Amino acid sequence: MENTQNITKQKNPKLNNKRLRTAAIILTALLAIAIPVAAWFSNQRGMVTLTKIQSPAALSIGAGNKESCAYIDMSGIDVSDKNVTSKEFVFSVYSSVLGNYKIQLAHTTNIPFTYEIYKASACDENGESVENAVVYHSKLDSKDYYYTKGEKITGDYINKQDAVLLADSTQHEATYGEYNNVQKNAEPLYWQNDTAIKAVQNDGEGFVDYYVLKVSWVNGTVKNDKETDMVYITAGMV
Amino acid sequence: MDKQTKPDSVKVGQKPFNKRRFAVRIICAGITFLVLVFSIITLGWFTNSRSNSAGSLEMKAANNGFELAAVGTGGIYDSFLSDREEGTEIKTVTEDSSEITLVSTGGKSEIKWVMNGDSNIVNNSGVSKELGGIAPGSSGTLTFYVIPQQDGALDISFSLDTALYKAENDSLSVIADSDAVNDLAGGHILFFKNKNGNIYSDRIDKSFRFSRDDLKKDVAYKVDIYWIWPGFADQLIMSSGDPLLEEKGERIIADNDETFYVDISENPKRYFRDTTKLVNIQSILDNMKAGSLSAGFNSDAYEEINTQWNEADQYIGVSASYIELILSVG
């Protein structure tokens, strides 16, 4: 009797297994039903699309003082003063990464201007060279920034006619596609510097190079007659 | 006799007692299970009820069934979505009774969202794969349709999520949620429910509602989402008419809309690459709001806030190659 009672208290492993199996079957059945029911409840619907994120230009063009290119202002060149035959503008090329690059210039030819680009370096406003420096007036802080003009950047037009300041037809399609009703001065000239410029590290934060764009004219050939030209400065890593 | 002396015989002796208890348990479990299944089905029937008014005891369905749909063809980068299902083409009518051909979810839980010239994220057919995609300054509209399966009301909470991917050797790998670029994309690639002229309103920050009564079965109800990746921080933080803003572009949020002043102040990491350079962001925002013509205008802070915005754009562009937009319900 004692022996029997003791055994009664012991759990029966076979029966235990059976219970476990039954419980597992029931739970699985519940799960199988619950999943479609839950999905049906939530009325799950969705649509998916994908687009590219364009890589940012590794190079930026800016005004003087590495300010936004929105502040490069070439408007209002006054040609009435016979003693003045040129005007100079400061711009910068900068990036957070180092690399070699080329500068490109594109412009229409309504006004017989000559465009030249010079290397420039920032100079202290209290320094001696300020007198001959090109001034960039910041609209952001209303300060003047001075840049000393260095060597001229050499390069060539890729589509200029030999004797006149007009573009030939070689780049027409790249500019206007199949559209042909284009006035001859609206056909832009494209210029690119010939030797890649090597960027030099600046304060451990990529680089910033300054340039002066010199717009010059021959006395008497240009009038203040509201004529306009479009000028594009671009720079590309090579 | 032998049986009684064997330990097994004791088990046999206990069997009838355990068997009964076990049988009772099984029956109880079975009844519980049946009750549960029945209650789920019953509740489900209520939820999906088309019209179940019973005198004064009116039960209104919380949400009827519906499908989502859009007009157009597959996006130009859909080859990366090859694991997603195609929708089903259907013909139906819009709210103004004009006929329309749509690509619908048609019972599927997720399909590819088709695009067209009016509804896209610069990924519709006709755009080249090289020139397609978004960048700072891009904006557009995305349209989809809700098609109720019953007459009546619908109150749907939509999720609009994004996932960023890096492309390597023509395959995409998802960028981990923990990467700062996810936060920045959320603050730079913006979605709105409304647009009036060039002014956006009712920002969609991951979710929005579609709630309407008196819908008709099988009619396609149009929903527009306006997206923009502003080119400059000025467009969100400078007041309209400010000369510095006008040099660059236009404000895209109404002057009295505080949405972005609040969110930029609370979550600067969604907008700027290095927030340590923008200490006390609230005072910077107040200063920008007062405008560049005000006496105390802080031009250094203005420059820094623009720099850090641009650095964020740069970081998004360098880190992520593709963005997936997931519209979902449920």
Side-chain angles (χ1 to χ4, degrees):
Chain A
M1 274 305 285
E2 251 182 59
N3 191 25
T4 313
Q5 276 174 349
N6 281 343
I7 293 171
T8 312
K9 282 175 188 168
Q10 281 175 4
K11 292 196 171 176
N12 187 328
K14 267 190 184 171
L15 206 59
N16 225 15
N17 275 349
K18 236 182 196 176
R19 282 177 186 167
L20 281 173
R21 241 179 280 139
T22 317
I25 290 166
I26 292 172
L27 281 173
T28 312
L30 260 175
L31 201 66
I33 291 182
I35 289 172
V37 170
W40 178 81
F41 263 142
S42 59
N43 198 5
Q44 193 179 2
R45 292 289 180 271
M47 296 199 294
V48 177
T49 189
L50 184 85
T51 198
K52 198 166 72 173
I53 291 177
Q54 288 169 7
S55 301
L59 273 180
S60 302
I61 300 274
N65 194 32
K66 205 184 166 184
E67 289 177 2
S68 163
C69 62
Y71 302 117
I72 303 176
D73 185 2
M74 294 180 68
S75 63
I77 298 176
D78 187 358
V79 296
S80 60
D81 186 345
K82 290 206 166 91
N83 297 317
V84 178
T85 55
S86 69
K87 192 163 178 182
E88 294 171 325
F89 306 91
V90 179
F91 69 91
S92 54
V93 176
Y94 60 92
S95 176
S96 53
V97 293
L98 287 179
N100 299 341
Y101 65 93
K102 282 187 172 182
I103 295 177
Q104 295 151 329
L105 188 72
H107 61 87
T108 52
T109 58
N110 292 309
I111 313 166
F113 281 151
T114 303
Y115 299 85
E116 291 166 310
I117 295 173
Y118 293 84
K119 192 103 180 79
S121 51
C123 58
D124 190 341
E125 58 183 304
N126 302 314
E128 294 171 3
S129 53
V130 168
E131 239 177 59
N132 299 316
V134 181
V135 185
Y136 169 72
H137 179 76
S138 169
K139 286 183 181 170
L140 290 174
D141 56 14
S142 297
K143 280 188 198 161
D144 288 337
Y145 292 89
Y146 298 89
Y147 298 90
T148 312
K149 209 162 75 182
E151 60 181 291
K152 186 177 163 183
I153 305 292
T154 55
D156 292 298
Y157 282 107
I158 59 169
N159 64 334
K160 187 179 170 295
Q161 291 183 29
D162 281 336
V164 287
L165 189 73
L166 286 174
D168 59 30
S169 59
T170 53
Q171 300 301 317
H172 174 86
E173 204 178 318
T175 314
Y176 290 106
E178 287 175 12
Y179 183 72
N180 283 317
N181 198 9
V182 179
Q183 199 269 336
K184 62 181 181 182
N185 297 108
E187 197 81 67
L189 284 175
Y190 294 101
W191 178 95
Q192 179 167 278
N193 84 282
D194 44 24
T195 320
I197 299 162
K198 192 168 168 37
V200 179
Q201 184 89 13
N202 169 54
D203 294 334
E205 293 184 13
F207 72 92
V208 52
D209 288 342
Y210 289 103
Y211 294 92
V212 164
L213 173 64
K214 182 179 179 183
V215 181
S216 55
W217 55 93
V218 178
N219 228 333
T221 58
V222 186
K223 287 183 289 182
N224 280 349
D225 57 3
K226 295 182 186 170
E227 192 63 90
T228 55
D229 267 314
M230 294 174 86
V231 180
Y232 289 86
I233 304 165
T234 55
M237 289 278 190
V238 290
Chain B
M1 279 297 286
D2 272 346
K3 273 183 183 178
Q4 281 176 347
T5 52
K6 280 180 188 170
D8 264 4
S9 67
V10 178
K11 279 185 197 167
V12 173
Q14 300 300 323
K15 219 173 181 178
F17 172 72
N18 276 342
K19 210 176 186 178
R20 202 180 303 124
R21 208 166 62 178
F22 186 60
V24 169
R25 281 184 187 168
I26 289 288
I27 291 165
C28 286
I31 291 169
T32 316
F33 173 71
L34 283 173
V35 166
L36 195 69
V37 170
F38 185 70
S39 65
I40 288 173
I41 293 168
T42 312
L43 188 64
W45 179 83
F46 273 137
T47 311
N48 196 34
S49 64
R50 289 144 206 234
S51 70
N52 43 14
S53 68
S56 59
L57 280 172
E58 186 174 283
M59 281 178 283
K60 194 173 180 183
N63 232 354
N64 292 321
F66 57 86
E67 299 293 342
L68 302 179
V71 177
T73 52
I76 53 175
Y77 306 110
D78 277 7
S79 57
F80 291 118
L81 297 174
S82 54
D83 56 333
R84 311 304 170 95
E85 292 195 83
E86 302 284 346
T88 314
E89 194 171 291
I90 56 159
K91 283 186 189 343
T92 184
V93 288
T94 58
E95 214 173 337
D96 58 10
S97 303
S98 51
E99 288 188 8
I100 189 168
T101 302
L102 295 153
V103 178
S104 157
T105 43
K108 291 171 185 160
S109 59
E110 189 178 70
I111 61 160
K112 292 174 196 170
W113 192 342
V114 292
M115 300 284 132
N116 63 66
D118 297 322
S119 165
N120 59 70
I121 33 174
V122 205
N123 61 344
N124 53 307
S125 67
V127 176
S128 79
K129 279 189 178 181
E130 287 71 31
L131 297 176
I134 58 173
S138 309
S139 62
T141 307
L142 273 167
T143 301
F144 70 95
Y145 293 82
V146 175
I147 307 170
Q149 291 175 317
Q150 295 89 31
D151 290 350
L154 270 182
D155 183 12
I156 308 167
S157 177
F158 280 105
S159 295
L160 189 66
D161 295 304
T162 54
L164 298 175
Y165 294 86
K166 184 80 187 162
E168 275 160 278
N169 305 324
D170 280 342
S171 70
L172 302 189
S173 53
V174 70
I175 296 174
D177 283 349
S178 55
D179 196 303
V181 71
N182 284 296
D183 266 349
L184 292 171
H188 282 235
I189 303 166
L190 308 172
F191 300 93
F192 296 88
K193 263 186 98 175
N194 290 304
K195 185 187 176 202
N196 187 6
N198 292 323
I199 299 297
Y200 296 79
S201 58
D202 301 313
R203 182 181 186 186
I204 298 170
D205 205 355
K206 303 220 178 279
S207 68
F208 63 100
R209 289 196 91 81
F210 172 91
S211 184
R212 285 186 61 170
D213 293 327
D214 302 327
L215 297 173
K216 295 272 175 268
K217 186 188 174 195
D218 292 338
V219 171
Y221 293 88
K222 191 178 179 213
V223 182
D224 286 326
I225 294 170
Y226 303 95
W227 62 268
I228 180 168
W229 185 345
F232 307 97
D234 298 43
Q235 293 176 287
L236 297 175
I237 61 173
M238 302 300 283
S239 300
S240 50
D242 194 288
L244 288 181
L245 167 66
E246 289 194 336
E247 293 264 8
K248 297 176 178 175
E250 289 177 314
R251 189 176 159 83
I252 57 163
I253 305 294
D255 281 321
N256 60 1
D257 187 339
E258 294 288 319
T259 311
F260 283 92
Y261 289 115
V262 172
D263 198 44
I264 291 172
S265 167
E266 287 175 356
N267 304 299
K269 283 186 188 308
R270 299 182 80 187
Y271 301 89
F272 308 111
R273 179 74 181 109
D274 184 356
T275 50
T276 61
K277 292 188 174 167
L278 297 166
V279 186
N280 202 350
I281 186 76
Q282 184 61 57
S283 71
I284 295 175
L285 290 174
D286 290 343
N287 190 271
M288 298 303 120
K289 208 171 160 186
S292 62
L293 298 177
S294 70
F297 182 66
N298 184 346
S299 62
D300 286 346
Y302 172 78
E303 273 292 277
E304 196 59 57
I305 212 164
N306 271 284
T307 301
Q308 293 310 327
W309 173 278
N310 293 340
E311 290 290 332
D313 278 342
Q314 180 88 8
Y315 187 67
I316 296 168
V318 168
S319 311
S321 322
Y322 288 87
I323 182 168
E324 185 182 33
L325 198 60
I326 308 132
L327 174 77
S328 64
V329 186

